[in-house]
Amino acid sequence: MIDSDVHNELPKLKTLLPYLGEQWQVYLNESAFRGTGADDYPANSPVAAREGSRPESGPPGSDIDLLRTYVFDKMGADLAILNCGFRPGSVHNQDLAADLATAVNNWQTEQWLDKDERFRASIIVSNQNPLRSAAEIDRIGNHPGFVQVVVPVRGDAPYGNLRYDPLFEAATRHNLPILIAFGGAPGLPPTATGWPSTYVEEYVDAGAIFQSQVNSLIFEGAFDRFPTLRIVLSESGWTWMPSLMWRMDKEWKGLRRDTPWVKRRPSEYMREHIRLTTAPTDRPSPERANELTEMIDYLGSDQMLLFASDYPHWHGEEPTAWMSDLSDELKSRLTHTNAAEFYGLEVSTTA
Amino acid sequence: MSISAPAPPRVDPGLSAEASRANEESRITDNALIDCDIHNAIQSPETIRKYLSPRWRTHHETYGVRNFSGSYYPRAVPNAARHDSWPPSGLPPGGDLAFMQEQLLDAWGFEYGILNCLSGGGGERNLEFGAAFASAVNDWQIAEWIEPEPRLKASLVIPYEAGDLAAKEIERIGDHPGYVQVLLVARTSEPMGRRKYWPIYEAACRHDLPIGVHFGGAGGHPITGSGWPSHYVEDHGGMPQAFQPQITSLVMEGVFERFPELKIVLIEGGCAWLPSLMWRLDRSWELMRSEVPDVKRPPSEYIRKHIWTTTQPVEEPDRPEHFHQLLRQMDMNDRLMFATDYPHWDFDAPTSTFPNDLNKDLRRDIFAGNAKRLYNLA
């Protein structure tokens, strides 16, 4: 079993001090800089931590032993793909952002990848600067423990925008997918209509941003300029995907004159290039359980879903709860084969 | 859906063209058709100036309308209009009543049509001017559309970013029998559940008027939560991602508890994304309802109780059975209302919008029944 979304978090900002040069060590110690300020999961909110995931000190996800006990022992995963939630994209100082990314990746190497061969990890980049991001990918992209590059779903431009080409070029040259992860704080409002009042709204509204990113990647031609580009969307809720397929296929029929590089139906690009992690799975109430089965059918592919626990986050139920009605064949695909194929992983399974 | 309109029903050689059309229509639509989204165009800057006071007429002549610049994506075709909707008179698409009567109302046999004027001044940043402009548009609609053509009803336009001025306009004109709805847009400057918009809902409820939330608008933010896209297709196809946070805001701000009579009509957003949004809202509310204690019921209940939606542009699954499943998942059969979006290029024609095997009673409700009940049309 592969758990495709597990969060390894910094115990505190100053954990990075040994991984930073002198200028930033002074800065971290003497300035008012306290971190990226993305606040993707309010510390005491229900979603921030499943039961038993809060360490004695440090945020949920910062304790490697607690994490391993849950992911490997309790859930039975053979391999976990780490997705660190540190967000250099929220730091306006681009030199600082890029150097923080380097420091975090070196910390991930030493404190996670070197400590357990069952971990794989995501390369953190300062997504607001695609050139520096590419440099970081070139620096560390050959390390076998890193299996993808992670950017937050809230960036300062949709990810199909041509400005990201250097980032995609480096990632695809290293054969690394791009993980687009819930969260981020670029300074732009989180919706097309401004700033919502509550966290629960922002949480729900993130689904729409994932949809916008899919539209952008396809219609800006990212998959045509980079035919090997692979995208993973984590914590998106995923059940919005079929309606997006229907809508954008229809848009393409009427408007394709103006985006001629989009040579196939958008839904074909989605099935080929995009994967979706399953925590959370936004699903109907129990009396409508069959509608989830219908939604899975509408994807038109049994390869799109990647099982995830999203440890330590809590979305209201155990990460396997939504899967009880699935066929064994589909369960096997999404708990193992889909991720193994998409990431090119060889895993000896216990189940 | 196409840049030019699909052909109206085939002509039976044994009958006159008109009778033939009527026959075909009644076979398919059981005789009653209401178009819940027609766009009447302001013919020229002079059109509205006639209805402005001298002070605002001079202002309009000198400074014009000032919206949120930098948020326009050129439509694929001029005026976003069907090629064949440019009237021979030289007026813009949707700007010629006689041509609209012929090409739309008469050709398809619509019993009623609802006008949603997209140049209502709600995006004008000078709020006092926006209020004056909206009043002028509303007066223009009465004089030049509603009174000459009894089949046409309309949404009244408001300066929606100024709640107090908007409420005043609803008070002024909301009881006119031609006005059946208050018009908002999908992209307001704040999520529409926020308190600055509450005076609008209060006034609308007092006058028993639903709020139509139409595709479009520009509230000063990029159309995505991650910045500005590059292409019109992302703007046009990306509008559901503006509607979704609006619904979330209305629900989570407790607007439906505060205004239990409020009715919201989503116009031109499509509808296939509603089930997954309802699921996402319900599960999130279960998890974090302690943050929003005024929200006492599951979000999907509020949505099914307070929200209507026009069908255009209806999503088109490859397999017709998926469309029927979608309707069941939505469970809003009494809330769906047909619309053409005339004169726009993505016009939905009554004969080619839905699968042929749509249940007869449901077809009747979608094509006329639901709208008649909502808008109190005879």
Side-chain angles (χ1 to χ4, degrees):
Chain A
M1 178 206 264
I2 300 173
D3 188 343
S4 62
D5 185 33
V6 176
H7 292 272
N8 57 323
E9 305 297 358
L10 285 170
K12 52 188 198 287
L13 179 64
K14 293 194 173 171
T15 306
L16 292 178
L17 283 173
Y19 302 93
L20 290 166
E22 192 194 327
Q23 178 198 351
W24 297 132
Q25 290 182 352
V26 169
Y27 185 69
L28 254 62
N29 280 323
E30 296 187 8
S31 80
F33 179 69
R34 291 289 169 268
T36 65
D39 199 21
D40 296 334
Y41 309 95
N44 295 326
S45 65
V47 72
R50 62 170 296 127
E51 209 182 305
S53 66
R54 288 188 193 280
E56 287 292 310
S57 68
S62 61
D63 185 315
I64 191 171
D65 296 316
L66 273 184
L67 187 152
R68 283 195 286 195
T69 302
Y70 175 79
V71 173
F72 299 133
D73 301 338
K74 180 157 183 270
M75 228 187 39
D78 301 289
L79 193 143
I81 302 179
L82 299 174
N83 169 10
C84 176
F86 191 78
R87 302 271 181 244
S90 312
V91 174
H92 290 298
N93 180 330
Q94 292 192 26
D95 286 321
L96 174 59
D99 290 347
L100 285 171
T102 299
V104 171
N105 293 329
N106 290 340
W107 167 78
Q108 292 199 82
T109 308
E110 272 187 30
Q111 302 300 336
W112 294 87
L113 293 174
D114 288 350
K115 297 234 161 121
D116 197 315
E117 62 182 14
R118 295 172 294 178
F119 287 138
R120 301 293 181 273
S122 310
I123 299 173
I124 299 282
V125 292
S126 53
N127 50 283
Q128 69 273 54
N129 190 319
L131 289 174
R132 297 290 296 266
S133 299
E136 180 63 9
I137 295 168
D138 280 336
R139 185 187 74 86
I140 206 155
N142 285 334
H143 188 300
F146 286 106
V147 294
Q148 65 192 353
V149 179
V150 59
V151 296
V153 75
R154 287 176 63 191
D156 46 359
Y159 286 114
N161 191 288
L162 297 177
R163 76 181 72 178
Y164 292 110
D165 275 9
L167 198 166
F168 290 156
E169 193 280 327
T172 51
R173 187 158 34 77
H174 289 273
N175 210 25
L176 294 167
I178 308 283
L179 171 70
I180 301 180
F182 175 99
L188 298 172
T191 82
T193 62
W195 294 88
S197 309
T198 56
Y199 176 70
V200 65
E201 288 172 78
E202 277 189 50
Y203 176 88
V204 173
D205 292 339
I209 312 178
F210 281 102
Q211 295 163 40
S212 301
Q213 297 291 11
V214 172
N215 289 348
S216 172
L217 288 162
I218 292 170
F219 286 95
E220 295 255 30
F223 298 124
D224 300 280
R225 290 191 302 286
F226 303 101
T228 62
L229 179 61
R230 283 167 286 156
I231 300 288
V232 182
L233 306 178
S234 72
E235 286 178 66
S236 76
W238 78 259
T239 51
W240 45 265
M241 180 57 104
S243 60
L244 194 75
M245 289 176 168
W246 295 343
R247 178 61 190 258
M248 301 319 283
D249 279 358
K250 180 164 174 161
E251 294 288 319
W252 178 74
K253 283 205 293 211
L255 295 174
R256 54 191 292 210
R257 177 200 71 195
D258 296 338
T259 50
W261 43 83
V262 185
K263 304 231 181 308
R264 295 176 288 150
R265 296 173 76 184
S267 57
E268 288 180 39
Y269 287 97
M270 294 175 200
R271 285 183 200 101
E272 186 183 323
H273 292 274
I274 299 178
R275 300 293 181 261
L276 309 152
T277 68
T278 60
T281 287
D282 297 326
R283 62 186 183 124
S285 309
E287 68 273 13
R288 291 176 179 271
N290 62 302
E291 294 176 359
L292 179 65
T293 313
E294 290 169 347
M295 204 58 88
I296 296 172
D297 183 38
Y298 302 158
L299 289 175
S301 161
D302 59 1
Q303 295 177 12
M304 289 188 84
L305 299 176
L306 308 181
F307 172 77
S309 69
D310 190 26
Y311 178 91
H313 302 138
W314 178 248
H315 301 284
E317 60 180 7
E318 291 300 330
T320 49
W322 71 276
M323 292 164 55
S324 47
D325 289 341
L326 302 185
S327 68
D328 287 341
E329 192 194 321
L330 186 55
K331 271 188 208 162
S332 169
R333 273 227 148 253
L334 59 94
T335 55
H336 169 71
T337 318
N338 288 343
E341 286 175 353
F342 203 64
Y343 287 105
L345 300 167
E346 288 194 16
V347 185
S348 58
T349 57
T350 52
Chain B
M1 179 204 76
S2 59
I3 298 286
S4 294
R10 58 173 164 73
V11 175
D12 183 328
L15 298 173
S16 70
E18 242 180 78
S20 210
R21 264 196 287 267
N23 268 354
E24 181 76 359
E25 267 318 299
S26 71
R27 178 183 77 77
I28 287 165
T29 66
D30 202 17
N31 246 355
L33 260 186
I34 296 177
D35 186 350
C36 292
D37 189 29
I38 303 172
H39 298 297
N40 49 327
I42 294 173
Q43 293 92 347
S44 76
E46 261 316 302
T47 307
I48 296 301
R49 281 194 198 131
K50 291 205 302 284
Y51 298 88
L52 287 170
S53 69
R55 180 255 191 279
W56 291 119
R57 193 177 310 144
T58 309
H59 181 100
H60 189 231
E61 282 166 357
T62 315
Y63 295 101
V65 169
R66 296 196 64 73
N67 293 334
F68 290 97
S69 55
S71 58
Y72 183 68
Y73 293 87
R75 277 74 182 114
V77 285
N79 296 43
R82 283 162 42 178
H83 289 322
D84 62 348
S85 70
W86 288 83
S89 59
L91 291 170
D96 185 322
L97 175 59
F99 192 69
M100 182 190 288
Q101 287 165 324
E102 179 198 322
Q103 189 179 57
L104 178 71
L105 301 178
D106 296 341
W108 296 97
F110 283 105
E111 196 179 335
Y112 290 104
I114 316 283
L115 297 173
N116 293 312
C117 179
L118 298 180
S119 316
E124 165 63 51
R125 283 182 281 129
N126 181 326
L127 297 175
E128 275 189 20
F129 177 44
F133 196 88
S135 296
V137 169
N138 289 331
D139 291 340
W140 164 74
Q141 293 197 102
I142 292 172
E144 302 189 25
W145 295 89
I146 297 170
E147 275 176 2
E149 172 50 80
R151 288 173 290 184
L152 289 178
K153 302 293 185 188
S155 301
L156 70 93
V157 296
I158 51 171
Y160 43 77
E161 299 298 350
D164 57 337
L165 299 178
K168 246 173 96 175
E169 180 64 8
I170 297 170
E171 291 303 326
R172 183 183 80 91
I173 208 134
D175 288 338
H176 188 288
Y179 282 118
V180 297
Q181 182 165 253
V182 175
L183 195 61
L184 277 177
V185 294
R187 290 172 64 194
T188 48
S189 290
E190 294 184 24
M192 58 189 293
R194 281 179 55 94
R195 66 193 312 128
K196 69 175 282 193
Y197 301 106
W198 293 356
I200 298 173
Y201 307 139
E202 198 273 331
C205 287
R206 201 143 28 76
H207 292 267
D208 198 27
L209 291 168
I211 305 273
V213 182
H214 193 280
F215 172 111
H221 312 293
I223 194 181
T224 83
S226 182
W228 295 97
S230 305
H231 301 289
Y232 172 56
V233 63
E234 297 171 79
D235 171 38
H236 185 265
M239 201 58 63
Q241 289 86 56
F243 278 102
Q244 291 165 26
Q246 296 287 41
I247 294 172
T248 300
S249 174
L250 286 168
V251 169
M252 294 302 187
E253 295 266 14
V255 168
F256 298 125
E257 285 288 336
R258 184 173 285 271
F259 304 104
E261 301 307 314
L262 183 63
K263 301 181 175 75
I264 300 283
V265 184
L266 310 175
I267 308 174
E268 210 184 315
C271 53
W273 44 268
L274 273 166
S276 56
L277 181 67
M278 284 195 271
W279 301 349
R280 188 170 175 84
L281 279 166
D282 281 353
R283 301 290 82 78
S284 307
W285 173 78
E286 284 163 4
L287 186 63
M288 289 184 275
R289 57 182 296 194
S290 61
E291 192 185 15
V292 287
D294 291 343
V295 184
K296 305 205 184 317
R297 304 297 310 162
S300 58
E301 261 186 50
Y302 291 114
I303 289 171
R304 291 196 174 99
K305 185 163 173 236
H306 292 272
I307 295 185
W308 279 250
T309 179
T310 64
T311 47
Q312 185 271 348
V314 75
E315 286 88 345
E316 298 174 19
D318 284 344
R319 296 176 32 197
E321 66 266 29
H322 289 173
F323 185 79
H324 294 291
Q325 290 171 2
L326 165 64
L327 292 183
R328 191 213 332 108
Q329 292 167 8
M330 286 175 62
D331 197 6
M332 291 170 72
N333 283 352
D334 57 347
R335 297 289 193 261
L336 298 172
M337 302 189 298
F338 176 76
T340 65
D341 189 35
Y342 179 89
H344 290 157
W345 60 271
D346 47 342
F347 175 95
D348 265 358
T351 43
S352 53
T353 299
F354 302 112
N356 288 330
D357 59 349
L358 198 63
N359 169 278
K360 204 159 176 269
D361 290 330
L362 176 57
R363 190 179 286 273
R364 204 174 4 237
D365 283 343
I366 292 177
F367 277 118
N370 291 338
K372 280 196 173 172
R373 280 181 283 276
L374 175 68
Y375 294 121
N376 291 316
L377 302 170

